[in-house]
Structure formats: C-alpha cells, structure tokens
Amino acid sequence: MGQDRPASAGALRRRLQAYDWAMGSRRVAFAVVCGVLCGLANTVLCLTVSWAGDVWRAWPWLSAALPAIGALEVALFRKARVTMDLRPGFNGLMRDMGADRRFPTREGPVVLAGTLMSLAGGAPVGPDSAAKHLGASVGAAVLPWFSIDDDNGRPAFDWAVACGLSACFSALLCAPLGVFAYLVEHLRAHGTTVRHLPTVLLSCFVAAGFARPMDLQMHTPFVGARALTGPDLWGAVAVAVAAAVAGSCFVVGVHCLERVRVRMGRSPMRCLVAGGAVVGAVLLLVPGLLRWGGLGTELVVPALHEARGGWGFALKLALTVTCLGFGLRGGEVTPMFVIGALMGSSVAAAVGADPLVTGALAMVSLYAVALGSPVSGVLVGCEFFGWGFAPWLVPTVAAAWAGRLALEGTLTAALARRRR
C-alpha cells in the first residue's frame, strides 16, 4: 500500500509535467471570452423575442399568416444555404459534431430569424433552439482567435461549439449547472474530452453571470425549503403522474408527426406550410384558444401564485407538439416550463395544494421527462427555486422519469404484440 502511493504521485507528477499549460490557458481564455459574447448574444435574443411576442399580441390575426411564414422560413434557410433539420431540439448541432464538420457561423442568426418569424405568427415555441445555435455560431467564430490545437484527433471546434451552445443557453435560463448537465446528458461529452468539460462549465458560469444583471430571463418566484403537508404531498404525486403522461405525449406526438413528414416526402416547404395552416386555423377558429398561443411566459407567475383549474396546459401542449412536429422554427424548453406551470396550477386546484409547490414541481418534472434530462431537471429546479427545495424536486422528478420509462416499456410491448 505504501508503494502504491509514491507510484500514483509519480504518475500524477508526470501527467502535470506533460500537460500543455500554454494551450490550457488558451482554452480558459476562450471559455471566458465565449461566455461574455454569448451573454451579449442572449441579450439580443431576449430583446428580439420579446419584440416578436409584442407584435403578435398587438395583431393576433398574424396567425393566419403562419403558412406564409413557414414558407418564408424555408426560403430563408435555402437562401443562406443552411440545412433545415425539421426535428426539434439541437439534432443538427449533434449531427455536425458527430460528423466532424465545421458548424457554419451563419446558422445561428438564420435560426434566430426563423424563430422570430414563428413567434410573430403566434406559434407556441421557445427561443432556446435559437440560443443554442447562436452560441454555437459564437464558439465557431471565436475559435480562430485563440489558435487552439486539436486534441488527440478530436477537432477543437467540437469543444468550441459545445462551449458556445451551453454558454448561450445558460445565459437564457441563468442556470449554469443545469445547462451543463443538459449538455452532458444529450451530447454525452460528444466531441469533447472529459478533461475539457471544466472549461465548458466555466463558459456557462461566465455567460449566466453576464446575463443575470440584465434581468431578461423568465422570472420564477423563490420557493426554498418547504414543510411537508398532506395536500402538497398528494399534489407532488399527482404532478409526477401528470408529468410522466404529458412528457410521454410530447415525445410520442412529435414522433407521430415525424412519420407524417416522411409520408409528405420530408419536404420542408410542404411540412412547414401544412403545420402553419393547422396551427393558424386552430388558433383563430377555436374560441378562446388564442390565449394559449405565442411563447406564454407571462402565464407562469400568475399560475404559480393562484390555483387555476382547467385543461389549458393540454391545449398548449398540443399546439406546441404540432408546431415542433411539423418543423416550425423554435425550441421546446421554454414551452415545457410554461405548460408545466399551468399543469401544476390545475393540479393544485384539484387537490387543494399550494400552486407554488405543484407549479414549480411540474415545471421541472415536465422539462426532465419531455427533454430526457432528469439530472438537468433537478439542477435547473434548484437554481430556479432554491436549493432548499431539492428534497421535493429529487423524488418527484425521479418518479416522473420512472413513469415515462414504464409508459415507454408498455408502449413498446404493445407494439411488439401488434406486429406479431
């Protein structure tokens, strides 16, 4: 045992001596600069998204133009020579990183422009996809300034893109730990060696620190430590079940519309025009449905302060699935927070729980289930609502995630029996 310790110390000393400290300092400097620039990019993103929402609220009849807006989005991507990936999330970024291809810096502004078009037409999508692409564009654009070498055959731009997308997303949510976990859960350090992940985390903290004083992020009230009460406990159980079902419905719904897109020949023009026509017609023709259009972040705080029953959350979920399933530009993260707040408020009205408790739990649980990010969900919840709320968050998110896995297993078994 005594001989093992000197051997371990010697190996560590050799590693430290072999490490390229000059290159490491360049990576740290890149992470700091990238974080600051991504914070600036997030400021532009938040201000323009707010402007687009104001435009739609002033002229809600713009929802009738959603088919034309979808066609304009396709034309914009073609003109900019950017591949339009119709799947929600940041699958395009993952594809580029997996193929060791350089990320085109023009893609971020193009995705932002498409997202603004969707929001101006009342599509219930979020700005998070634009944030990730903008951050990736910043990372790809800034990398040449620092002359950073590839690492053991892994392209440096993979790491730079990871720094950028996580930094800008962190600035949007002001939740650096949760966003870092989101990146690791989805990319699984893809294209980024584990020893470089600390610099990615550093870029998240720098961007969030830059963005926080701007006060442009979605506002959530502080919850903190809460005493255990019967109604709140039943509310947490109901939230876990509802989040598992709603999150699974989101995943299945988007998958089903993906099959519809296949039958339509995966043509972006056909898919976006059809999706815009469906969403626009529903918003304008169904009485009262306009209130569930657009981003809807203004609905979060009232839902957390007062228990309000109803199925508004299900209507907004269906609209979001339709938009993202057909490929309209926008993200799914922020809509999940809004839908979760509405769902938690409905649960509170049904069981007599505190809407602040059930709403906060539902926001985090639905995020975790729909996005496949349980660890990120818990961390984001702690950063949003206070670390004292963790004893409520951990079991609720775990139960909701277990419910999604059980539903997926049941569905898979049913499909297998049907094929037989």
Side-chain angles (χ1 to χ4, degrees):
M1 191 67 124
Q3 294 177 348
D4 291 341
R5 289 180 180 173
S8 300
L12 177 61
R13 193 181 307 110
R14 286 191 296 272
R15 285 189 177 185
L16 292 175
Q17 291 173 349
Y19 183 72
D20 189 343
W21 291 98
M23 189 59 62
S25 63
R26 290 182 190 174
R27 288 181 180 267
V28 171
F30 171 89
V32 173
V33 172
C34 183
V36 172
L37 293 178
C38 285
L40 285 170
N42 174 72
T43 301
V44 174
L45 168 69
C46 291
L47 292 175
T48 53
V49 164
S50 177
W51 170 82
D54 291 340
V55 167
W56 178 72
R57 282 187 289 272
W59 298 297
W61 53 264
L62 284 173
S63 294
L66 270 175
I69 288 173
L72 283 175
E73 290 177 7
V74 176
L76 172 65
F77 273 72
R78 288 177 178 173
K79 184 69 175 178
R81 300 192 304 279
V82 172
T83 302
M84 178 173 272
D85 195 317
L86 298 182
R87 295 172 296 175
F90 58 118
N91 295 286
L93 290 175
M94 296 173 70
R95 182 196 63 236
D96 288 342
M97 294 173 73
D100 293 342
R101 292 183 293 197
R102 288 199 172 274
F103 180 82
T105 55
R106 63 184 178 276
E107 186 165 327
V110 170
V111 173
L112 172 59
T115 301
L116 295 176
M117 290 181 188
S118 298
L119 290 170
V125 294
D128 41 277
S129 178
K132 296 166 194 169
H133 284 81
L134 273 177
S137 293
V138 170
V142 173
L143 180 64
W145 301 357
F146 292 86
S147 302
I148 295 175
D149 298 334
D150 293 347
D151 182 53
N152 295 327
R154 297 306 311 171
F157 77 87
D158 275 6
W159 163 79
V161 167
C163 275
L165 74 89
S166 56
C168 202
F169 190 26
S170 175
L172 177 67
L173 299 184
C174 285
L177 291 175
V179 168
F180 177 73
Y182 177 86
L183 176 79
V184 174
E185 284 182 295
H186 281 267
L187 293 183
R188 293 173 177 82
H190 183 64
T192 305
T193 54
V194 173
R195 69 174 178 227
H196 296 318
L197 287 178
T199 51
V200 177
L201 180 59
L202 173 62
S203 68
C204 290
F205 274 107
V206 171
F210 182 93
R212 199 177 300 276
M214 302 291 181
D215 198 29
L216 296 173
Q217 68 273 15
M218 181 180 65
H219 292 93
T220 53
F222 180 80
V223 181
R226 304 286 296 199
L228 184 65
T229 64
D232 289 349
L233 178 60
W234 284 112
V237 172
V239 161
V241 174
V245 174
S248 299
C249 287
F250 172 80
V251 175
V252 172
V254 170
H255 178 69
C256 289
L257 289 179
E258 187 175 333
R259 303 177 90 180
V260 172
R261 294 202 312 267
V262 171
R263 293 184 179 181
M264 298 174 70
R266 290 195 178 93
S267 167
M269 185 64 75
R270 292 179 187 173
C271 294
L272 267 70
V273 170
V278 171
V279 174
V282 169
L283 283 174
L284 293 174
L285 297 179
V286 177
L289 206 61
L290 273 175
R291 64 179 300 198
W292 309 121
L295 181 57
T297 50
E298 71 280 358
L299 302 172
V300 171
V301 173
L304 295 178
H305 283 162
E306 182 181 352
R308 301 179 180 181
W311 295 92
F313 68 91
L315 297 173
K316 191 165 183 65
L317 178 65
L319 289 169
T320 302
V321 167
T322 305
C323 287
L324 297 178
F326 276 107
L328 286 168
R329 295 299 85 189
E332 70 277 22
V333 175
T334 311
M336 291 304 109
F337 287 139
V338 177
I339 295 166
L342 297 171
M343 183 172 68
S345 189
S346 294
V347 168
V351 302
D354 184 346
L356 182 57
V357 172
T358 55
L361 291 174
M363 288 175 67
V364 175
S365 299
L366 186 58
Y367 166 95
V369 172
L371 276 65
S373 304
V375 176
S376 173
V378 171
L379 292 174
V380 167
C382 290
E383 290 175 294
F384 274 12
F385 302 109
W387 292 92
F389 197 48
W392 287 85
L393 288 169
V394 173
T396 306
V397 171
W401 182 249
R404 170 182 163 167
L405 296 179
L407 289 172
E408 285 182 351
T410 303
L411 181 60
T412 302
L415 290 175
R417 287 195 299 270
R418 185 176 180 182
R419 287 171 183 170
R420 292 174 192 162

